[in-house]
Amino acid sequence: MEISGAQALLESLKHEGVDIIFGYPGGVLLPLYDAMYANKDIKHILVRHEQGAAHAADGYARATGKVGVCLATSGPGATNLITGIATAYMDSIPMVAITGQVATPLLGRDSFQEADLTGITMPITKHNYLVKKTEDLPRIIKEAFYIARTGRPGPVLIDIPKDVLVNKIKYKYPDKVELESYKPNFEGHPKQINMAVKAIAAAQKAVIYAGGGVIASDANKELKELAEKCNFPVTTTLMGIGGFPGTHELSLGMLGMHGTAYANYAVTECDLLISIGARFDDRVTGHIARFAPNAKIIHIDIDPAEIGKNVRVDVPIVGDVKKVLQALLAKLPAKEKNQPWLDQIGEWKKKFPLSYKKEGGLKPQFIIEELYALTKDRETVIVTEVGQHQMWAGMFYQYDKPRNWISSGGLGTMGFGLPAANGAQFGRPNALVVDIAGDGSIQMNIQELTTAVNNRLPIKIFVLNNCFLGMVRQWQELIYDRHYSHTQLCNNPDLVKIAEAYGAVGLRVTKEEEVRPAMEKALAINDRPVLIDFVTAKEENVFPFVPPGQAINEMIID
Amino acid sequence: MRHIISVVVENKPGVLTRVAGLFARRGFNIESLAVGTTETPDISRMTIVAEGDEQDLEQIIKQLYKLIDTMKVFDLPADKAIERELVLIKVAANDKTRQEITQIVDIFRGKVVDVAETSMTIEIVGDENKVSGAEKLLTKFGIRELVRTGVIGLMRGSAE
Ligand SMILES: Cc1ncc(C[n+]2csc(CCOP(=O)(O)OP(=O)(O)O)c2C)c(N)n1
């Protein structure tokens, strides 16, 4: 029997286990939307802006580990996905973005709503396709999902002209992917692993530095085993939060620009740094030449291009983090505790704990602490926007499990949180999903409240409202002589009314004693989103702070 | 340092853009780029000449490998590579100079491929030095037009 390209697309997605797509229709997609009309297997979530579709697919992927799928029409619909695709690319999130394209005879003629999407997305996708023939569609879908989720995960874009959706083919889904030139390396080289064993044996003051790769490869158990076997403290990147239990005594929290003082000191002093699924981003390393200056470096990563990209590496191991750690653990003899090193770290922890001054208005850190106290015993996914609130949410909430912290690390995308929270809630219907937001960020994709309301998503949006683009204001305060150029948001709309207008619940909190009751009230509402507008201290800063260009042990601590 | 990088890729639309784009994004200047099919029609080989230090080169090779359509990437070391370029030079000529030009062309084992009343067009094949040498000597006659294919290269011997 012959079926249309649109039907073949849906069948192929079903084959890949896709049960939800976040999308927005348009002219060239009509054949597909028509095919969806009768389709019961794949749920389509209508967002209110394509950027929301991309971030929702991304949030869904981060919360579940599955491939997220988003869909947009040609031209403006497709270009609206770009920020979402770039966000997923920078954080190595498995995603398949499907875009409609003008019919093949119209390609390249500046036709109505034509944009060269494969051209535009080349630098921000792991790979992309322009489908020229309907017969190629099943194979391309198969390849796209394979590429998106294997190796270093990432977004793959499939651009599909309208006629390709209309033409009919004899449908058969391929059972194998045949990609001559794409063969990720999963197993670490035994020789390198032996070298790592030796380096670990010789180390006195080691630190493990874990990134998002630990979460992507589901290696949190192995990481914990390694840390406990060797008694090595563990610091994580922003993307690695939750890869190692935050409440563990060996946990150092985050390192880098807004890392803990003890993590930054430990990394600066260590003689062995074991980097696991992390990429030595400049926000982590600070002044690169003075980063871990005395350390031998072991670098484990699935992407060979990451090794030696930013720092010199003594023991490179290319492979899947989980597999490499398993091989390493099998060969690694138990290591005696280096008590003086752990004592030194304990002392730093005591001397420079994460803290804040309690006086001077409602403190954002206090709000996060209260949220933690209230929700630590239930399955909670914290999603964030970008700014100071993001850093506080990373610092003052403890994450003991992976995939409970969802934040735009690499691209730092304001407007990510709300749609990503929607996606996360679809993926994890039983979890409590909280978007911690700033008053600036929340206004970037606030229209996605409709998506949440329409689908009765009980997400909570906690706006830490400081009437500023806080993180930028902080830099202006500390580096630009308090010139608050265009960072004041004194004309913010009434966010409570906005929430209500969308059909969500809106609450406002201005005092400490109102925090807990408001949160409890919000948590009790299960059939719609709740936004709490927390009116916080205006000029609170995120500390520690490593000024740009400095070494990470040169922090402003408070 | 000058590097000759040979990239073996699947012969598909868009691959050239991907490769060239990768160089551009990383701030690498491509001096020359030559592309053509290989003994296997669905595989192409690109020969790229670019400037950069060892570390830059290592990174670019790794990034090239990340492209899904890349099959193999080699850095062709100068002492182990055969490198060739074809240049066409249209040079001003008249009865007086034609002979001298022909002599120069002979020395470079080039070929005169077109003669007109006021010009001659010459083809020279060789490595970069030879081509540049010929170009220099012909300059005094007045070069009207010049086009180079860009370098192509292969490793010497049987092994790659
Ligand atoms: C889309 C986008 N535009 C601009 C920026 C630059 N930026 C980074 S943080 C920030 C301020 C964020 O303000 P807000 O959401 O109110 O959070 P706060 O820092 O006050 O907690 C800005 C403008 C960005 N990261 N993303």
Side-chain angles (χ1 to χ4, degrees):
Chain A
M1 203 189 72
E2 299 213 319
I3 61 174
S4 72
Q7 284 164 323
L9 171 58
L10 292 178
E11 284 302 314
S12 305
L13 292 175
K14 223 165 77 186
H15 253 111
E16 289 300 328
V18 174
D19 46 23
I20 189 164
I21 318 180
F22 302 91
Y24 204 90
V28 300
L29 285 183
L30 283 173
L32 179 58
Y33 274 87
D34 200 52
M36 277 195 278
Y37 191 71
N39 187 293
K40 296 272 170 299
D41 301 314
I42 296 177
K43 193 161 159 176
H44 175 277
I45 303 302
L46 176 64
V47 295
R48 287 302 183 278
H49 185 297
E50 289 87 352
Q51 189 185 345
H55 292 323
D58 178 327
Y60 174 87
R62 293 185 204 230
T64 62
K66 295 196 243 174
V67 179
V69 182
C70 56
L71 172 65
T73 192
S74 69
T79 52
N80 269 349
L81 289 179
I82 297 300
T83 303
I85 295 173
T87 302
Y89 182 71
M90 289 292 278
D91 288 344
S92 307
I93 303 303
M95 179 162 120
V96 169
I98 299 169
T99 48
Q101 182 55 277
V102 300
T104 48
L106 296 173
L107 275 174
R109 295 162 188 261
D110 299 327
S111 310
F112 177 63
Q113 293 195 330
E114 180 185 5
D116 170 14
L117 251 288
T118 39
I120 292 171
T121 59
M122 226 167 246
I124 52 163
T125 51
K126 187 171 171 188
H127 194 53
N128 61 23
Y129 294 89
L130 170 62
V131 187
K132 294 273 192 48
K133 287 186 297 212
T134 310
E135 300 89 82
D136 296 339
L137 198 49
R139 172 184 58 81
I140 286 175
I141 305 274
K142 178 99 189 168
E143 289 178 5
F145 276 83
Y146 179 71
I147 291 170
R149 71 175 142 231
T150 55
R152 178 179 184 164
V156 177
L157 177 124
I158 312 174
D159 199 27
I160 313 178
K162 183 171 187 176
D163 51 330
V164 170
L165 290 172
V166 173
N167 293 341
K168 299 211 158 173
I169 51 162
K170 267 214 181 71
Y171 173 78
K172 188 180 175 299
Y173 202 61
D175 9 82
K176 271 211 314 271
V177 172
E178 282 169 51
L179 284 165
E180 258 312 296
S181 40
Y182 174 71
K183 303 215 160 51
N185 188 3
F186 297 105
E187 311 282 345
H189 197 289
K191 214 170 103 194
Q192 297 305 102
I193 289 175
N194 285 337
M195 277 175 68
V197 171
K198 273 200 204 120
I200 289 172
Q204 298 297 315
K205 303 191 285 181
V207 171
I208 296 173
Y209 146 55
V214 170
I215 291 157
S217 94
D218 273 325
N220 53 302
K221 262 212 213 87
E222 286 78 6
L223 172 60
K224 186 160 168 244
E225 206 183 318
L226 176 70
E228 288 176 347
K229 194 167 180 179
C230 303
N231 284 292
F232 288 169
V234 181
T235 178
T236 75
T237 65
L238 183 91
M239 289 303 294
I241 289 179
F244 187 75
T247 53
H248 198 289
E249 58 175 354
L250 286 169
S251 169
L252 297 176
M254 196 163 75
L255 82 166
M257 181 173 277
H258 291 300
T260 62
Y262 37 98
N264 287 345
Y265 288 140
V267 169
T268 305
E269 299 270 308
C270 73
D271 66 354
L272 176 70
L273 187 68
I274 309 175
S275 165
I276 307 178
R279 60 191 182 90
F280 297 90
D281 180 84
D282 53 292
R283 281 287 189 273
V284 159
T285 62
H287 191 290
I288 194 112
R290 284 185 281 155
F291 177 73
N294 311 315
K296 254 195 171 204
I297 296 182
I298 300 175
H299 190 174
I300 305 169
D301 206 297
I302 187 116
D303 180 357
E306 283 306 335
I307 291 179
K309 187 176 85 178
N310 296 333
V311 296
R312 53 165 183 92
V313 171
D314 301 284
V315 185
I317 309 178
V318 175
D320 172 60
V321 165
K322 190 185 184 86
K323 291 218 157 115
V324 171
L325 287 184
Q326 283 169 343
L328 187 61
L329 283 164
K331 289 191 184 164
L332 201 64
K335 191 168 162 77
E336 226 171 277
K337 224 185 227 186
N338 183 355
Q339 200 56 51
W341 176 233
L342 294 177
D343 287 347
Q344 166 72 73
I345 286 170
E347 229 167 85
W348 282 325
K349 279 190 173 178
K350 237 198 263 143
K351 205 160 157 204
F352 309 106
L354 277 183
S355 66
Y356 59 95
K357 295 194 183 71
K358 310 269 183 294
E359 73 274 8
L362 180 56
K363 291 301 177 87
Q365 301 93 328
F366 172 80
I367 295 167
I368 309 282
E369 283 176 340
E370 286 290 283
L371 177 63
Y372 178 62
L374 190 63
T375 60
K376 65 179 172 187
D377 294 326
R378 55 191 287 187
E379 186 192 348
T380 306
V381 179
I382 304 290
V383 185
T384 78
E385 307 283 343
V386 169
Q388 294 181 310
H389 61 275
Q390 175 188 31
M391 293 303 141
W392 287 316
M395 293 167 154
F396 290 89
Y397 198 99
Q398 306 304 321
Y399 305 84
D400 281 337
K401 292 204 184 109
R403 303 199 182 282
N404 287 346
W405 159 257
I406 295 180
S407 193
S408 165
L411 199 67
T413 307
M414 291 172 72
F416 168 82
L418 173 53
N422 285 344
Q425 187 77 80
F426 276 114
R428 305 251 299 269
N430 297 323
L432 168 68
V433 177
V434 184
D435 173 30
I436 295 180
D439 47 327
S441 295
I442 195 63
Q443 295 183 68
M444 286 223 172
N445 273 315
I446 195 135
Q447 75 289 343
E448 293 310 315
L449 258 174
T450 302
T451 312
V453 168
N454 282 0
N455 291 283
R456 302 173 149 264
L457 300 181
I459 58 164
K460 321 296 170 211
I461 302 154
F462 290 180
V463 183
L464 307 185
N465 190 342
N466 52 12
C467 296
F468 269 114
L469 295 172
M471 187 58 101
V472 182
R473 184 209 55 75
Q474 174 168 343
W475 285 51
Q476 289 173 331
E477 175 186 334
L478 300 175
I479 305 170
Y480 294 92
D481 278 341
R482 293 191 104 116
H483 294 163
Y484 293 163
S485 175
H486 300 280
T487 46
Q488 296 181 55
L489 301 176
C490 28
N491 51 358
N492 268 333
D494 183 333
L495 293 173
V496 171
K497 279 194 188 151
I498 286 201
E500 284 166 356
Y502 273 108
V505 176
L507 304 169
R508 178 163 294 118
V509 168
T510 55
K511 294 198 231 23
E512 265 188 21
E513 57 273 23
E514 296 167 357
V515 170
R516 188 63 84 96
M519 284 186 187
E520 278 167 353
K521 195 166 165 192
L523 262 48
I525 294 167
N526 287 317
D527 60 348
R528 74 194 72 183
V530 182
L531 181 151
I532 307 183
D533 183 25
F534 290 97
V535 180
T536 62
K538 284 190 163 62
E539 293 184 68
E540 186 66 16
N541 286 334
V542 184
F543 290 122
F545 171 51
V546 178
Q550 302 287 84
I552 56 171
N553 60 338
E554 297 170 328
M555 292 158 275
I556 306 175
I557 292 185
D558 56 23
Chain B
M1 238 186 74
R2 173 176 176 266
H3 292 281
I4 304 177
I5 302 160
S6 186
V7 192
V8 180
V9 295
E10 303 211 21
N11 184 4
K12 285 188 193 153
V15 176
L16 176 61
T17 321
R18 282 180 210 279
V19 171
L22 203 147
F23 277 78
R25 272 203 300 289
R26 292 183 188 259
F28 255 95
N29 198 18
I30 296 182
E31 264 175 38
S32 91
L33 166 63
V35 197
T37 51
T38 61
E39 68 283 1
T40 319
D42 48 2
I43 294 175
S44 298
R45 190 189 273 262
M46 301 183 191
T47 310
I48 299 167
V49 181
E51 264 311 300
D53 63 23
E54 286 307 312
Q55 223 187 331
D56 292 341
L57 176 75
E58 186 187 323
Q59 185 56 210
I60 208 89
I61 290 179
K62 284 174 167 176
Q63 294 293 340
L64 284 169
Y65 267 118
K66 281 177 75 165
L67 298 177
I68 306 291
D69 299 318
T70 303
M71 310 186 71
K72 255 186 168 3
V73 186
F74 312 94
D75 171 27
L76 296 179
D79 53 336
K80 293 199 187 102
I82 302 170
E83 120 182 37
R84 288 291 179 273
E85 185 168 11
L86 166 67
V87 63
L88 291 177
I89 306 174
K90 188 181 285 176
V91 65
N94 53 39
D95 294 345
K96 278 195 223 122
T97 58
R98 211 163 278 133
Q99 177 114 37
E100 194 184 341
I101 293 172
T102 313
Q103 270 170 9
I104 292 172
V105 173
D106 280 346
I107 292 167
F108 283 93
R109 271 178 273 158
K111 242 195 227 161
V112 176
V113 289
D114 183 55
V115 182
E117 227 155 83
T118 60
S119 72
M120 289 168 85
T121 304
I122 293 147
E123 153 197 313
I124 293 169
V125 176
D127 63 16
E128 220 192 12
N129 286 338
K130 180 175 164 188
V131 169
S132 304
E135 206 182 304
K136 219 163 130 195
L137 283 181
L138 292 170
T139 307
K140 67 169 179 191
F141 302 102
I143 292 176
R144 295 267 175 83
E145 270 183 285
L146 183 147
V147 58
R148 298 168 72 144
T149 56
V151 171
I152 55 169
L154 277 184
M155 210 84 120
R156 284 181 194 280
S158 52
E160 257 193 342

